[in-house]
Amino acid sequence: MTSPTPCYHCALPVPSGSRFTATVLGEPREFCCPGCQAVAEAIVAGKLESYYQHRSEASANPQNLPVQLVDELALYDRADVQKPFVRHTGELAEATLLIEGISCAACGWLIEKHLRSLPAVAEARLNLSNHRLQVQWTDSQLPLSRVLAELRQIGYAAHPYQADRAAEQLASENRTALRQLGVAGLLWFQAMMATMATWPEFNIDLSPEMHTILRWVALFLTTPIVFYSCAPFFRGAARDLRTRHLTMDVSVSLAIGGAYIAGIWTAITGSGELYFDAVGMFALFLLTGRYLERRARERTAAATAQLVNLLPASCLRLDAQGHAERILLSELQLGDRVLVHPGAVLPADGKILDGQSSIDESLLTGEYLPQPRRPGDAVTAGTLNVEGALTVQVQALGQDTRLSAIVRLLERAQAEKPRLAEIADRAAQWFLLISLIAAAGIGLLWWQLEPSRAFWIVLAMLVATCPCALSLATPTALTAATGTLHKLGLLLTRGHVLEGLNQIDTVIFDKTGTLTEGRLALRAIRPLAALDADRCLMLAAALENRSEHPIARAFGRASEAAEEVSSAPGLGLEGLVGGERLRIGQPAFVCALSGCAVPSLPDEAGQWLLLGDTRGALAWFVLDDRLRDDAPALLAACKARGWNTLLLSGDSSPMVASVAAELGIDQFQGGLRPDDKLQVLQNLHRQGRKVLMLGDGVNDVPVLAAADISIAMGSATDLAKTNADAVLLSNRLDALVHAIALARRTRRVIIENLLWAGLYNGLMLPFAALGWITPVWAAVGMSISSLTVVLNALRLTRMKGLQPTTQPVAGPTPVAA
């Protein structure tokens, strides 16, 4: 008996004799009912046919789900996994699931209809606004994995909904702030109407009783604004007074509280003006400004939040027999072997034991090209396996992974306040103190001159001189710039880097692994006998392929295998290739095999190796460490800023002079020990120089720690990265070029913000003191000033003109004969 055809839309069986069809993606499709047919036709009519292309193949054949997915879903049948999100009431289990792929109300109808058709499901309700599905089912008859699989079969991915505490608290605070803003806006409008009706300018013939009623109505409407909407200002002011630390909350609370009390006095006595409309408007503008500032700051912190959620929920662990078992990430232990399929995220830091692939590290390093990885290479948790399956041995978990270390360093950099921000904070406090004293003095003066205007003027001064913009000027710009640099692959671990880059006048470079790629490459072959360059290279590669020395990597793979290979440390290798005994290495060591004279060393820079057999020398091989492609651009950027450049290297070969000459570096020294490098740095400091150090090795640690700003390469040792102020995760020097440009832009934005904030506060104080500005217009100006500062800082998040320059993947090094 043939199985019924599944409905193309909902995957339920199509009843025999059904004639519900529609053309989707250019082919006729069968449907189980007129409802599915109508939904499909609506999708086609709305040009949304790609919906069906993005569904898994299981949607068209519900009996077949990928084995990997079935194993992953089966984890949800375990009681320990269900405990955080499944509730049991009698025989029924209840859970909240987050559904992916919902696009319209028809999706909700389909999900509820399909689940309710299952015998063990008691209820299924989908909230279309937040895509959360409440489902009740008898788990003794239907496992949760089957419920999730049923949703997969109709094209929707479901996950247990568990709100992250920090994210949930942030969302709750946003909802509270929005409610406070809504209450202030709604009630202020009504209070303003009641207050304006009492103004003589409107010439409304109100009876004394109605006048009294309107005053009390305005008081009644304003009270929730003060005690609910403005509660954060009063709590902040109370905290500041306890800690003896003045902030804008103090002046805001004085303004709102003073106006509210004055309004109460007028409502009771009937004499004077009602200030309730001013209270409501001031609160509305302040709350609007704060809410928009909060949302803007959240945008700049989005990159850090993404890093925390990179790790997968489960992984495949291999047992001793090599069988894969899907487990939760929390069950993984150090030393375990995990199988990572193509397209899967690596669950932990580790070392590749088997397999070759490319790893996408763009979210961590900013490098957009996947990087090749092979057995023995280290891999990082949170990165994506692109091509082949890998067997990885776990070496770090949880807080010990590189991903967690990056998050901690980024949070530390964002928490630190640079000198400019501290100066701005102190200036804001002093300005606020002066403003409060001035408001009191001006208020007393106006009380003597014109008592009816004194309170209004003091209120306007308190509102206009809130130093919100002054306090926001620096931190918003630095936060935006830090996030932008992280996207480019430069992780700032100290808060002073962006500010300090504008003071640098000298740069010290290490050579190996910094300006160069840190690995030797074969540059040329010079045959000395009858054999040609290709044959000599094959013989040398056959010997070197049996060695673990870094030099061996420069010779590539050999088509022949060497036998009886032995190593003479510091001298070279000896072995048999095709029955012929060969040596490669130091000239004297090689020539000792044949007894011939040592040929003269070519007069060129580089590391020279000799290949020879029992009859004599065969060929010279020259190796050198290739310059990074983007090193010239970095040196050009340093020169453009007028910086002095120094190359300090532990390498004593002629390569140091060659690199310095090729890049146009001002001064260079080779063969230096770590204390020698530190001595050079100390001499520069005695000359008043501000020094930036770029390095990667253990020998660079003393200089990195002592430099004004230090940057370690992403491939640097852990000790070097710990002592550096920034880490170049991408290992691309062009990120530093962009950092130099962004530092200048950041300084310009900070200065613009400080000038604007200072100009606004400096002008508003005398204008308000002269009575030229009402409290309402002061509130408008203060809010606009703060928002201007935030929006100006957000310009630093634009990546236009700051993307790292793309480089083609380097091919084999050309070899000259």
Side-chain angles (χ1 to χ4, degrees), residues 519-520 544 547-556:
R519 60 178 184 271
L520 290 173
E544 294 287 358
S547 172
E548 296 298 326
H549 195 279
I551 287 178
R553 301 176 186 174
F555 288 85

Side-chain angles (χ1 to χ4, degrees), residues 97 111 120 337 408 559 593 612 620 635 698 798:
L97 304 176
I111 290 170
R337 294 179 303 143
R408 287 195 300 271
S559 57
L593 180 63
W620 283 108
L635 267 297
V698 174
R798 297 176 186 170

Side-chain angles (χ1 to χ4, degrees), residues 90-349:
E91 295 183 356
L92 291 179
E94 182 179 353
T96 302
L97 304 176
L98 190 64
I99 309 297
E100 294 182 7
I102 294 176
S103 58
C104 62
C107 296
W109 170 84
L110 171 61
I111 290 170
E112 292 179 353
K113 178 180 182 294
H114 184 72
L115 290 184
R116 287 170 182 169
S117 69
L118 302 176
V121 175
E123 184 59 74
R125 298 187 307 275
L126 179 69
N127 187 330
L128 283 172
S129 62
N130 55 23
H131 297 183
R132 295 178 197 169
L133 173 69
Q134 298 284 344
V135 59
Q136 292 181 339
W137 77 103
T138 307
D139 57 349
S140 59
Q141 300 177 22
L142 185 70
L144 177 58
S145 62
R146 186 57 191 163
V147 175
L148 300 177
E150 290 289 339
L151 289 168
R152 288 276 183 173
Q153 288 167 357
I154 59 174
Y156 301 96
H159 310 282
Y161 174 73
Q162 289 178 276
D164 176 75
R165 288 187 176 181
E168 186 69 11
Q169 182 173 352
L170 185 63
S172 176
E173 290 174 356
N174 284 336
R175 288 193 298 269
T176 300
L178 201 56
R179 280 196 300 267
Q180 290 171 336
L181 177 60
V183 167
L186 181 64
L187 296 183
W188 163 72
F189 185 76
Q190 305 300 325
M192 182 183 66
M193 298 288 287
T195 303
M196 289 174 62
T198 65
W199 292 357
E201 291 85 348
F202 281 87
N203 196 23
I204 300 176
D205 189 14
L206 294 177
S207 65
E209 293 78 9
M210 183 56 70
H211 205 284
T212 302
I213 290 173
L214 287 175
R215 291 200 304 267
W216 285 98
V217 166
L219 172 60
F220 175 76
L221 293 170
T222 307
T223 299
I225 298 177
V226 174
F227 289 98
Y228 175 68
S229 298
C230 298
F233 301 127
F234 292 112
R235 285 196 296 267
R239 179 195 62 234
D240 295 337
L241 292 176
R242 283 196 303 271
T243 58
R244 297 180 181 180
H245 179 81
L246 289 177
T247 68
M248 61 164 283
D249 286 334
V250 175
S251 59
V252 167
S253 299
L254 286 173
I256 292 175
Y260 180 66
I261 292 172
I264 294 176
W265 173 258
T266 301
I268 295 174
T269 63
S271 61
E273 295 189 35
L274 290 173
Y275 296 103
F276 296 133
D277 56 333
V279 170
M281 177 170 281
F282 185 34
L284 178 63
F285 281 124
L286 274 173
L287 291 169
T288 301
R290 281 202 169 185
Y291 181 76
L292 294 177
E293 288 163 14
R294 171 195 289 273
R295 302 298 293 179
R297 287 195 300 270
E298 288 172 10
R299 273 184 55 199
T300 61
T304 311
Q306 287 178 354
L307 289 176
V308 180
N309 299 315
L310 287 179
L311 296 182
S314 63
C315 62
L316 288 173
R317 181 173 61 187
L318 297 175
D319 58 20
Q321 289 74 38
H323 298 141
E325 174 193 12
R326 185 161 291 278
I327 63 169
L328 293 174
L329 189 61
S330 58
E331 299 176 291
L332 202 58
Q333 303 291 327
L334 291 177
D336 284 350
R337 294 179 303 143
V338 294
L339 178 63
V340 185
H341 288 294
V345 174
L346 281 103
D349 288 1

Side-chain angles (χ1 to χ4, degrees), residues 395-431:
Q395 295 180 326
L397 289 166
Q399 295 299 311
D400 297 327
T401 62
R402 184 186 177 202
L403 176 64
S404 297
I406 289 173
V407 172
R408 287 195 300 271
L409 289 173
L410 195 55
E411 290 174 344
R412 182 182 74 181
Q414 292 174 344
E416 286 187 354
K417 279 192 175 182
R419 184 179 56 85
L420 202 56
E422 294 174 351
I423 292 174
D425 283 349
R426 286 197 296 270
Q429 289 185 55
W430 279 106
F431 181 82

